[in-house]
Amino acid sequence: MQIGELSRRTGVSVRMLRYYEEEGLLQPSRRDSGYRDYGPAEEQLVRRIRVFSDAGLKLHAIRTLLPCVLNDRPELELCNEVRATLNREIGGIEERIACLESSRDILVGYLRQDAKRPRIGVRLQR
Amino acid sequence: MQIGELSRRTGVSVRMLRYYEEEGLLQPSRRDSGYRDYGPAEEQLVRRIRVFSDAGLKLHAIRTLLPCVLNDRPELELCNEVRATLNREIGGIEERIACLESSRDILVGYLRQDAKRPRIGVRLQR
DNA sequence: CTACAGTCTCACAGCGCTGTCAGGGTCAAG
DNA sequence: CTTGACCCTGACAGCGCTGTGAGACTGTAG
């Protein structure tokens, strides 16, 4: 299948499909014309990349996950690597969540303060 | 006070202090030499900007908050504006939190799946 | 053969900061 | 006067994508 159809099927833009390739996540075969040719395996792979990508992983991180998915290195070692990567990513996400929660609390705090006083915080000397 | 000292006092880099000005958050006076001159009011303001900034607000949003802080427009109207801005920002943050939480759940799901099976998900046909 | 749709590569733009560098003034102390 | 620290403006780079455009080729239907 050509890149346009794969794009339509997966909802990933043509631009991004080429970008995935540039980043080493995809290696579609080429026709004589130079056109990229994707098979069902690639389509599956793209869908999987999308899941991780939607989950907020950067392509760089996803790439470290793919060897296990593609199974072109010994299983156990890689699955350990993958578990480590996932754990690291989950940790990062939770860190960001905690950060956002404290940000929200700060803003909520301002809002409460504002409800009590006419102005935010201490008045500036101007 | 010169920009360097303000930077040291507030922990905001010189570059960012100039950037705040570029974005209309600060309007320090100038000496004959062209050097920026900051007073205690500006120092306070910078600290306040930092609080919002650390809370994840974009400078653009912070700028809409400042007129109330500086009190150069009628209070009530502005405080309403500020309350609206804060509420909007809080909403945005909570949206991002929800998004990250679902991302995390997806990754945790993969991790669980991985614990049961030797490989992530369905095997690719290669 | 002629359109026209599809593809190719290369490359620039933009998001919102943030650092850094260049080339050039200013100001205090020695 | 000279040195060194400090300041000025302007501009480029980088983060991780993502869109868009140019200029050129390919493939298919009429």
Side-chain angles (χ1 to χ4, degrees), chain A residues 16-46:
Chain A
M16 287 312 293
L17 288 174
R18 293 201 262 247
Y19 185 59
Y20 286 174
E21 183 176 347
E22 210 174 311
E23 293 298 300
L25 306 186
L26 278 176
Q27 290 99 33
S29 52
R30 299 287 185 130
R31 299 185 185 169
D32 288 350
S33 61
Y35 282 21
R36 276 164 256 257
D37 201 2
Y38 301 90
E42 269 89 6
E43 184 177 341
Q44 273 286 23
L45 182 49
V46 169

Side-chain angles (χ1 to χ4, degrees), chain B residues 48-86:
Chain B
R48 202 149 306 160
I49 292 171
R50 239 186 83 102
V51 170
F52 286 120
S53 177
D54 289 348
L57 267 67
K58 309 201 165 173
L59 292 193
H60 172 80
I62 298 175
R63 188 173 41 204
T64 75
L65 259 34
L66 290 187
C68 179
V69 172
L70 294 176
N71 199 34
D72 47 10
R73 284 205 270 160
E75 280 184 26
L76 279 180
E77 175 204 354
L78 280 166
C79 282
N80 283 338
E81 240 178 71
V82 165
R83 296 175 68 78
T85 299
L86 287 177

Side-chain angles (χ1 to χ4, degrees), chain A residues 43-56:
Chain A
E43 184 177 341
Q44 273 286 23
L45 182 49
V46 169
R47 293 187 195 286
R48 201 150 305 161
I49 291 171
R50 240 185 83 100
V51 170
F52 285 120
S53 176
D54 288 349

Side-chain angles (χ1 to χ4, degrees), chain B residues 2 4 18 30 35-36:
Chain B
Q2 299 189 162
R18 293 201 262 248
R30 299 286 185 133
Y35 282 22
R36 277 164 255 256

